[in-house]
C-alpha cells in the first residue's frame, strides 16, 4: 500500500491587498502555517509523501524570506518528503525562483521541474507536468501517455491546470484532457489550479486549496489522503481539513413580511468561530425599509467579532411605504424630502435607474435618522 497526501495552491506569499491592512498579516501567516498542518495530516494518516500540484508560491518572484522560510518548514518536517510542481503562478518561466530554490533545497524536498519520471518508492513512479509559463496554451500532460515505467509500477500523474472550462483563471488555455488518467494508464492523477475539491473521475482529483483565499468556493480548506494498493488498484481518497480560516457566504433570501433580524441572528456563525471567519452576507428577496436598516445595523454591530465581514444587498429589494416614514419625521423638511423620494421611487414614469437612485437615497435618509434617534 502506497499512501501520500495530495494538495495544491498554497499561494504562499499572497498579499491580500484588497483586504484591511490589519488582516493581511494574519492571512499571509496562515499560508505559511499550512505547511505544518499538511505535515501533521500526512503523519496522522500514514502518508510519507506530500505532492503539491502547483502554485506553492503566489508569484514568480517571492521574496527570499518567503522562499527560504517555506523550504525551511518543509525541512523541519522530515522525514516527510515534499514534491513541488511549478504551477501557473510559479511557472518555470520564473528562472530566479527555481534557481534560488535549487541552491537551498532540503534533502527531503523534490523540485518537479522537468517532464520526466520520478521514483517515489519501490514500484511507484511520479509523472509530473510542470507549467512552462503562466499560460502554456497546450496540454502539458500529453507526454504521460507514452511515458515508460517499470512493469508493475504504480503510475501517478501530477499536473496543474483546467479541465474543460474548469479553471480559477478564466483565460486559461492549457486545457488538460479529462480522461488523461485512462489514456496514460495512471493509477491516480493529482491536479491543482481549482481551489475547491473535485472528483473528476475515480482516479482524477483536484485536491482544492488547503487554506482558502476567497469566497468563491465556500467550503473548508482541505487536502486529500490517497492510498493505492498496487498497479491497477482503485485509489481510496479521504479529505482532511487543513485550514485555519473559514471563508463563508451566508445567503439569506427574505420576504417583506419576515422578521429579517431574527432570521439573520439564527443564521450567523457561532460567536466562538467568528475571529477566524471571513463572512460575506448576501441578502436577497424583499424587505421593509425599517427591516433592512435593522439588519444592516445588526451586521455593523457584530462585524468587529469577525476576521472580516462584507454585506451584499445587490439582490435585496426594499419596500418603502408611507408608515415607514414616521421614523424620519411626522412633518417638516426631512419628512417632505422623504415623501418626495418615496413618490419618485414608485413613479413608473421614471426610468428604473432613477427610481433606484430615489430608493437608495430614501434608505440612506432613513438610516441617518434612525442613527440620530439611537
Amino acid at each position: 500500500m502506497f499512501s501520500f497526501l495530495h494538495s495544491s495552491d498554497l499561494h504562499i506569499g499572497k498579499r491580500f491587498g484588497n483586504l484591511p491592512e490589519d488582516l493581511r498579516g494574519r492571512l499571509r501567516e496562515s499560508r505559511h502555517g499550512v505547511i505544518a498542518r499538511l505535515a501533521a495530516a500526512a503523519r496522522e494518516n500514514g502518508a510519507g509523501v506530500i505532492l503539491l500540484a502547483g502554485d506553492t508560491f503566489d508569484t514568480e518572484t517571492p521574496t527570499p524570506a518567503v522562499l527560504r522560510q517555506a523550504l525551511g518548514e518543509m525541512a523541519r518536517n522530515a522525514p516527510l518528503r515534499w514534491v513541488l510542481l511549478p504551477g501557473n503562478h510559479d511557472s518555470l518561466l520564473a528562472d530566479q525562483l527555481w534557481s534560488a530554490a535549487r541552491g537551498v533545497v532540503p534533502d527531503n524536498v523534490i523540485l518537479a521541474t522537468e517532464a520526466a519520471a520520478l521514483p517515489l518508492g519501490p514500484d511507484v513512479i511520479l509523472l509530473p507536468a510542470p507549467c512552462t509559463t503562466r499560460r502554456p496554451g497546450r496540454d502539458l500532460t500529453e507526454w504521460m501517455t507514452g511515458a515508460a515505467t517499470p512493469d508493475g509500477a504504480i503510475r501517478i500523474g501530477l499536473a496543474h491546470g483546467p479541465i474543460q472550462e474548469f479553471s480559477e483563471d478564466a483565460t486559461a488555455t492549457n486545457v488538460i484532457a479529462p480522461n488523461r488518467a485512462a489514456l496514460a494508464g495512471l493509477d491516480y492523477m493529482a491536479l491543482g489550479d481549482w481551489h475547491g475539491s473535485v472528483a473528476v473521475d475515480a482516479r482524477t482529483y483536484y485536491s482544492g486549496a488547503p487554506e482558502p483565499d476567497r469566497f468563491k468556493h465556500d467550503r473548508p480548506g482541505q487536502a486529500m489522503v490517497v492510498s493505492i494498493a498496487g498497479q491497477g488498484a482503485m485509489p481510496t481518497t479521504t479529505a482532511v481539513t487543513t485550514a485555519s480560516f473559514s471563508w463563508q457566504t451566508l445567503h439569506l433570501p427574505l420576504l417583506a413580511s419576515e422578521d429579517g433580524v431574527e432570521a439573520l441572528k439564527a443564521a450567523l456563525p457561532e460567536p466562538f468561530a467568528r475571529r477566524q471567519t471571513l463572512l460575506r452576507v448576501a441578502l436577497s428577496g424583499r424587505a421593509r425599509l425599517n427591516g433592512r436598516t435593522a439588519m444592516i445595523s445588526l451586521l455593523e454591530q457584530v462585524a468587529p467579532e469577525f476576521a472580516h465581514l462584507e454585506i451584499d444587498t445587490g439582490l435585496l429589494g426594499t419596500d418603502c411605504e408611507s408608515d415607514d416614514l414616521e421614523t424620519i419625521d411626522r412633518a417638516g423638511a426631512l419628512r417632505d424630502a422623504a415623501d418626495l423620494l418615496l413618490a419618485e421611487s414608485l413613479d413608473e414614469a421614471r426610468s428604473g435607474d432613477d427610481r433606484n437612485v430615489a430608493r437608495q437615497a430614501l434608505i440612506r435618509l432613513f438610516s441617518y435618522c434612525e442613527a440620530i434617534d439611537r
Side-chain angles (χ1 to χ4, degrees):
M1 180 70 72
F2 180 72
S3 297
F4 59 94
L5 194 75
H6 167 202
S7 187
S8 71
D9 299 282
L10 277 63
H11 289 276
I12 297 172
K14 188 176 178 72
R15 293 181 174 85
F16 295 99
N18 61 326
L19 291 172
E21 185 173 356
D22 59 349
L23 177 59
R24 296 174 200 166
R26 293 177 62 201
L27 293 175
R28 284 195 295 268
E29 183 59 26
S30 74
R31 315 216 75 70
H32 176 83
V34 82
I35 298 173
R37 293 193 292 277
L38 288 173
R43 286 191 292 267
E44 290 168 6
N45 290 277
V49 176
I50 298 175
L51 302 182
L52 300 182
D55 288 358
T56 300
F57 302 100
D58 188 58
T59 71
E60 296 179 337
T61 55
T63 66
V66 166
L67 173 62
R68 296 288 289 272
Q69 289 171 21
L71 294 177
E73 184 64 22
M74 293 176 192
R76 193 178 72 82
N77 283 282
L80 286 173
R81 288 179 295 156
W82 304 75
V83 179
L84 276 60
L85 181 83
N88 64 313
H89 278 254
D90 52 9
S91 75
L92 287 174
L93 198 61
D95 294 333
Q96 184 177 351
L97 163 61
W98 296 106
S99 294
R102 291 186 192 99
V104 295
V105 64
D107 292 339
N108 66 323
V109 175
I110 299 169
L111 305 180
T113 55
E114 297 182 10
L118 289 171
L120 293 181
D123 300 323
V124 181
I125 303 296
L126 180 70
L127 304 177
C131 285
T132 53
T133 66
R134 189 173 181 87
R135 298 185 179 89
R138 59 189 177 89
D139 184 353
L140 298 172
T141 69
E142 286 182 344
W143 81 275
M144 297 179 187
T145 298
T149 54
D151 291 342
I154 294 173
R155 289 164 63 91
I156 299 172
L158 182 65
H160 185 94
I163 286 180
Q164 297 173 349
E165 75 284 355
F166 214 53
S167 175
E168 289 292 322
D169 184 350
T171 62
T173 56
N174 53 316
V175 178
I176 297 170
N179 60 340
R180 180 60 63 196
L183 293 173
L186 302 177
D187 296 291
Y188 185 84
M189 171 64 102
L191 293 176
D193 177 55
W194 191 248
H195 290 195
S197 177
V198 173
V200 178
D201 59 39
R203 297 186 183 275
T204 305
Y205 286 80
Y206 285 95
S207 63
E211 186 71 40
D213 60 2
R214 67 196 73 180
F215 292 111
K216 181 174 183 177
H217 298 285
D218 203 21
R219 65 177 66 190
Q222 63 180 52
M224 302 292 294
V225 177
V226 185
S227 297
I228 307 174
Q231 185 188 52
M234 199 61 71
T236 62
T237 59
T238 304
V240 291
T241 300
T242 54
S244 61
F245 280 92
S246 174
W247 295 62
Q248 301 179 24
T249 299
L250 170 58
H251 294 281
L252 191 63
L254 298 163
L255 300 173
S257 59
E258 186 177 3
D259 187 337
V261 170
E262 290 305 313
L264 187 56
K265 287 180 179 178
L268 286 172
E270 294 292 336
F272 69 85
R274 293 178 182 178
R275 186 175 187 273
Q276 293 299 110
T277 299
L278 291 89
L279 182 67
R280 176 177 174 268
V281 181
L283 303 174
S284 61
R286 309 294 303 181
R288 288 284 297 273
L289 185 56
N290 59 347
R292 177 191 178 110
T293 57
M295 287 187 290
I296 299 302
S297 176
L298 171 61
L299 290 172
E300 290 173 346
Q301 289 174 28
V302 301
E305 300 173 19
F306 289 85
H308 181 66
L309 191 146
E310 297 179 5
I311 307 170
D312 180 1
T313 58
L315 297 178
L316 180 64
T318 304
D319 294 337
C320 303
E321 300 183 13
S322 56
D323 58 346
D324 293 324
L325 305 189
E326 299 297 323
T327 300
I328 295 175
D329 210 343
R330 294 183 180 277
L334 282 179
R335 179 55 185 265
D336 290 343
D339 287 335
L340 178 60
L341 289 172
L342 176 60
E344 291 181 354
S345 72
L346 300 174
D347 186 356
E348 294 295 334
R350 294 177 175 270
S351 69
D353 287 344
D354 286 346
R355 293 198 304 274
N356 186 57
V357 168
R359 186 176 296 109
Q360 294 302 317
L362 180 57
I363 292 168
R364 182 67 61 88
L365 178 60
F366 187 91
S367 62
Y368 285 158
C369 292
E370 275 206 326
I372 292 171
D373 289 342
R374 289 199 295 269

